[in-house]
């Protein structure tokens, strides 16, 4: 049994005085679960330990970044070795070339450009798509979250769903989203209707989506939906972009592109690419990527882009992610979730999983489009979160977030978690 100690409360009070809300990303305030956040001091394998010494089995895994678990040996050793030589140079380093070659070898990408966050990668994708096509409109999908970019907060998922101010956030102007169109996710009819309008279709620069949505719970796109997007974009000269900041190298060795065997024109990778450090990239076909400066006229720059410490960790992580690791992740996911999935068939609740990411939905049928989280379902998630935390299990602290299994999760901890979850759902039946 765990409890938040006075030290946590004191530190969080201090944080609130010097950091807005006490956090540097709003989900960390745990407002959706109405609970005081614990303060971590150490992560090891599949566990995270707080200031008081409480240890939790972690399924948030830094929102999916830690596919190898906390403090994996080889990525940390690689980062430390890089750091000893210097943290940043403002010049191209060998590790940037090595990891770019690795990503190109694994995926459809001819070229990649590294940045420091998923938001930055998606911002670059928008500008690149508009510059390459010389068109203006961006089509996105309700409930997909692509970072805190003004033009993409329209009907966004994740914590942006909690901000009820019209355009996803105060400070987002009407002109910022004037060229953004948001459609229902997995809705083939809505896509066909949009592309049937020549005045709109002829001005679409980019159709962007999470092929496996992870910011409205786990909701995968259907293969037919992705095939339709590929067909429609090619027909009008628009680009298709995948946001694989979460799903990249998580749901398949090649990400969702490999899972569905559909190549977009552009893709954004993050989280796993940095091996636990801040790094992301945009990749795609050579003729598009070469529109970026210094070869083309689409400007993008960043002092710490391609940081050698982060990319050393990311390269080491990717080298670890061989087929045997994905087979083991599949086994561990089945060990945890298969009995729960069977038990939920007799309840008004459901489970949805893709690869080693999963979420629970508190209604009978798992959603195929943006779910409507009722006050009752939010209350049930809050109850589940608090019960798990009390038992020493940490889930991501919002109903909109995915949960993740890592290569470091032990069978013992998976079985313990499974029994707690089975008990919870039994009690709700």
């Amino acid at each position: 049994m765990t409890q938040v100690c006075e030290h946590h409360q004191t530190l969080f009070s201090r944080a609130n005085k010097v950091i807005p809300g006490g956090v540097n990303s709003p989900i960390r305030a745990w407002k959706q679960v109405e609970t005081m956040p614990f303060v971590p001091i150490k992560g090891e394998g599949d566990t995270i330990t707080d200031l008081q010494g409480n240890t939790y089995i972690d399924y948030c895994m830094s929102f999916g970044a830690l596919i190898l678990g906390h403090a994996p040996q080889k990525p940390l050793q690689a980062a430390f070795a890089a750091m000893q030589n210097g943290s940043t140079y403002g010049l191209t380093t060998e590790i940037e070339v090595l990891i770019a070659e690795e990503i190109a070898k694994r995926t459809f990408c001819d070229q990649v450009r590294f940045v420091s966050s998923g938001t930055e990668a998606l911002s670059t994708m928008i500008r690149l798509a508009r510059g390459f096509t010389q068109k203006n409109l961006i089509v996105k999908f309700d409930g997909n979250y692509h970072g805190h970019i003004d033009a993409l907060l329209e009907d966004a998922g994740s914590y942006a769903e909690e901000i009820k101010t019209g355009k996803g956030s105060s400070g987002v102007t009407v002109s910022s989203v004037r060229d953004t169109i948001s459609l229902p996710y997995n809705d083939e009819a809505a896509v066909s209707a949009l592309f049937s309008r020549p005045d709109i279709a002829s001005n679409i620069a980019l159709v962007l989506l999470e092929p496996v949505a992870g910011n409205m719970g786990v909701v995968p796109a259907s293969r037919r939906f992705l095939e339709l997007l590929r067909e429609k974009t090619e027909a009008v000269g628009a680009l298709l972009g995948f946001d694989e900041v979460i799903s990249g190298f998580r749901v398949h060795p090649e990400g969702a592109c490999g899972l569905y065997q559909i190549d977009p024109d552009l893709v954004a990778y993050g989280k796993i690419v940095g091996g636990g450090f801040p790094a992301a990239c945009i990749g795609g076909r050579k003729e598009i990527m070469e529109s970026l400066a210094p070869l083309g006229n689409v400007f993008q720059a960043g002092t710490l882009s391609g940081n050698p410490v982060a990319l050393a960790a990311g390269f080491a992580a990717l080298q670890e992610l061989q087929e045997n690791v994905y087979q083991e992740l599949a086994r561990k996911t089945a060990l945890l979730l298969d009995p729960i999935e069977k038990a939920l068939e007799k309840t008004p609740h459901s489970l949805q999983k893709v690869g080693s990411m999963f979420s629970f939905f508190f209604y009978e049928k798992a959603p195929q489009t943006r779910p409507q989280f009722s006050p009752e379902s939010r209350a049930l998630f809050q109850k589940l979160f608090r019960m798990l935390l009390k038992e020493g299990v940490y889930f991501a602290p919002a109903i909109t977030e995915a949960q993740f299994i890592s290569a470091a999760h032990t069978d013992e901890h998976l079985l313990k978690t499974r029994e707690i979850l089975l008990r919870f759902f039994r009690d709700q039946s």
Side-chain angles (χ1 to χ4, degrees):
M1 183 179 295
T2 63
Q3 60 182 6
V4 176
C5 68
E6 186 178 346
H7 197 169
H8 291 84
Q9 295 172 328
T10 301
L11 188 62
F12 201 60
S13 294
R14 287 170 55 198
N16 271 276
K17 292 178 181 178
V18 290
I19 302 171
V23 295
N24 287 303
S25 188
I27 198 72
R28 301 176 194 175
W30 290 19
K31 282 196 171 184
Q32 284 198 32
V33 290
E34 298 180 0
T35 303
M36 172 70 68
F38 65 73
V39 178
I41 58 168
K42 182 181 181 181
E44 183 175 6
D46 63 349
T47 63
I48 192 167
T49 301
D50 70 15
L51 275 171
Q52 194 179 9
N54 296 315
T55 296
Y56 307 86
I57 306 167
D58 184 9
Y59 292 93
C60 176
M61 284 290 157
S62 195
F63 298 94
L66 303 176
I67 193 170
L68 297 175
H70 288 279
Q73 186 178 27
K74 289 185 179 179
L76 282 189
Q77 287 175 341
F80 183 66
M83 198 183 309
Q84 286 183 306
N85 292 327
S87 61
T88 180
Y89 308 103
L91 294 162
T92 298
T93 58
E94 182 182 24
I95 192 62
E96 294 168 71
V97 180
L98 292 174
I99 190 170
E101 289 173 340
E102 178 70 17
I103 292 170
K105 182 176 71 177
R106 287 173 174 252
T107 70
F108 77 96
C109 297
D110 296 320
Q111 295 184 342
V112 299
R113 171 152 302 176
F114 291 100
V115 291
S116 297
S117 72
T119 293
E120 195 179 350
L122 272 301
S123 177
T124 302
M125 186 186 291
I126 292 173
R127 187 179 300 163
L128 177 57
R130 285 173 167 159
F132 179 78
T133 64
Q134 293 297 294
K135 300 176 182 182
N136 296 331
L137 295 178
I138 306 298
V139 178
K140 65 172 292 292
F141 296 91
D142 300 349
N144 283 204
Y145 176 71
H146 305 295
H148 60 276
I149 303 162
D150 285 10
L152 299 180
L153 283 176
E154 180 88 346
D155 290 307
S158 191
Y159 196 86
E161 184 178 270
E162 308 301 311
I163 308 294
K164 307 299 183 185
T165 55
K167 299 300 178 186
S169 171
S170 292
V172 175
T173 63
V174 172
S175 62
S176 297
V177 295
R178 180 184 57 206
D179 291 328
T180 300
I181 298 170
S182 193
L183 299 178
Y185 189 71
N186 265 333
D187 191 327
E188 296 173 30
V191 169
S192 295
L194 184 74
F195 276 86
S196 71
R197 296 181 55 182
D199 58 322
I200 293 178
S202 63
N203 196 30
I204 295 173
L206 176 71
V207 175
L208 172 65
L209 80 162
E210 291 182 275
V212 179
N215 291 285
M216 53 183 183
V218 175
V219 183
S222 72
R223 180 181 295 277
R224 176 57 199 147
F225 185 64
L226 295 178
E227 289 172 346
L228 178 67
L229 295 178
R230 181 68 287 179
E231 172 191 322
K232 295 294 187 183
T233 51
E234 286 181 345
V236 300
L239 301 185
L240 178 61
F242 280 6
D243 177 349
E244 291 222 51
V245 170
I246 293 176
S247 61
F249 312 112
R250 159 69 65 176
V251 299
H252 185 276
E254 301 168 33
C257 299
L259 181 67
Y260 289 107
Q261 291 296 293
I262 294 176
D263 290 342
D265 299 295
L266 293 169
V267 63
Y269 297 119
K271 296 187 186 289
I272 289 168
V273 164
F277 288 80
C281 69
I282 177 175
R285 295 190 284 114
K286 180 180 179 180
E287 62 268 31
I288 303 171
M289 296 297 294
E290 288 188 343
S291 292
L292 289 170
L295 295 179
N297 294 323
V298 177
F299 182 74
Q300 178 277 330
T303 298
L304 294 178
S305 293
N307 178 263
V309 176
L311 294 190
F315 182 56
L318 287 178
Q319 288 183 306
E320 289 286 283
L321 291 174
Q322 302 302 319
E323 186 60 38
N324 64 312
V325 175
Y326 290 99
Q327 291 172 352
E328 185 65 1
L329 281 168
R331 184 192 70 79
K332 291 179 177 185
T333 302
L335 180 66
L336 174 64
L337 297 178
D338 282 2
I340 298 172
E341 191 168 27
K342 185 172 180 60
L344 290 181
E345 292 173 0
K346 302 175 182 178
T347 75
H349 312 299
S350 55
L351 162 69
Q352 198 144 251
K353 64 182 187 293
V354 180
S356 53
M357 52 191 291
F358 68 96
S359 337
F360 294 106
F361 295 94
F362 298 97
Y363 41 86
E364 193 167 356
K365 190 175 181 182
Q368 298 307 304
T369 191
R370 182 182 191 167
Q372 298 301 312
F373 295 112
S374 66
E376 293 77 16
S377 65
R378 289 175 181 274
L380 274 173
F381 178 80
Q382 185 180 109
K383 184 177 181 180
L384 172 62
F385 177 87
R386 289 178 170 181
M387 175 185 172
L388 287 168
L389 199 67
K390 188 176 180 180
E391 298 270 5
V393 177
Y394 173 48
F395 265 24
I399 195 171
T400 51
E401 300 298 329
Q403 313 301 333
F404 301 92
I405 296 167
S406 77
H409 277 91
T410 66
D411 286 8
E412 178 186 0
H413 285 164
L414 293 167
L415 291 171
K416 175 184 174 179
T417 306
R418 187 177 80 184
E419 290 311 306
I420 297 169
L421 289 168
L422 285 170
R423 181 175 6 118
F424 173 83
F425 286 110
R426 232 176 2 248
D427 291 345
Q428 307 311 310
S429 300

